Amino acid sequence: MTRILAISGSLRASSANTAVLEAVRFVAPAGTTVTHYAGLAGLPPFNPDDDGETPPREVAALRTAVGQADALIISSPEYAHGVPGTLKNLLDWLVASVEFPGKTVALINASPRARHAQAQLVEILTTMNAALAPPAPVDMPLLGRQLDATAIAGDPELGGLLRDVLAAIGKKCGKP
């Protein structure tokens, strides 16, 4: 059993990043569970003073979810040539956690224009000791295509790219 936690860096209701992660659930093979992290908007701003023995409840829940996962898949938009603040905030809360170091992480880029944020994510995650599942990031050719999760999963090329991501995670985690 491979357990994957999917994290969208977008808060938008009609986010392509969130749709891609939902599509991952649809194409996941038997024995793989994909759980979507839904607490991004509720995380308090990172403050090292609050990261003691008893972190905020939302942070403890995030860390528990990360700890229970074999791998993470992150799909994030780019704003002003960077990682959205809410996603960076989530990552900051994981820096000092015992659950994150060595965690397998795959990156999916839903926009070919989002080069700066993807490079920043690779740098941040490498610094945090993530085990990036190659290739990172995987570029999804979605630009100009208003596809929902079902259409993404059902598209031979897009669904195939997502299956490749899942296979890379399985290989990296030692769970084919």
Side-chain angles (χ1 to χ4, degrees):
M1 172 72 89
T2 302
R3 296 170 310 237
I4 298 172
L5 182 64
I7 300 172
S8 175
S10 178
L11 298 178
R12 293 185 63 206
S14 62
S15 164
N17 296 282
T18 304
V20 164
L21 294 173
E22 183 66 22
V24 170
R25 244 178 16 102
F26 295 151
V27 302
T32 299
T33 61
V34 179
T35 303
H36 290 272
Y37 175 71
L40 185 66
L43 286 173
F46 176 69
N47 181 346
D49 292 341
D50 294 338
D51 198 14
E53 264 186 54
T54 308
R57 177 180 43 83
E58 300 87 353
V59 173
L62 166 66
R63 290 177 175 169
T64 297
V66 169
Q68 292 173 344
D70 296 305
L72 308 178
I73 298 177
I74 299 173
S75 184
S76 177
E78 175 173 300
Y79 295 118
H81 281 193
V83 174
T86 51
L87 180 59
K88 179 63 168 81
N89 184 54
L90 176 146
L91 295 172
D92 287 343
W93 279 113
L94 293 176
V95 166
S97 73
V98 297
E99 296 84 2
F100 188 82
K103 189 66 66 176
T104 297
V105 180
L107 298 174
I108 298 176
N109 182 11
S111 173
R113 293 179 183 163
R115 293 286 172 221
H116 301 283
Q118 297 305 313
Q120 288 174 6
L121 280 171
V122 169
E123 176 67 21
I124 292 164
L125 293 167
T126 301
T127 301
M128 292 174 63
N129 280 336
L132 291 175
V138 171
D139 291 322
M140 300 290 290
L142 294 175
L143 194 61
R145 300 168 74 183
Q146 300 299 317
L147 303 175
D148 65 7
T150 303
I152 293 168
D155 181 276
E157 178 188 11
L158 301 176
L161 287 170
L162 296 178
R163 285 182 195 85
D164 291 347
V165 169
L166 291 167
I169 288 171
K171 185 175 181 179
K172 191 84 171 171
C173 290
K175 299 180 179 189

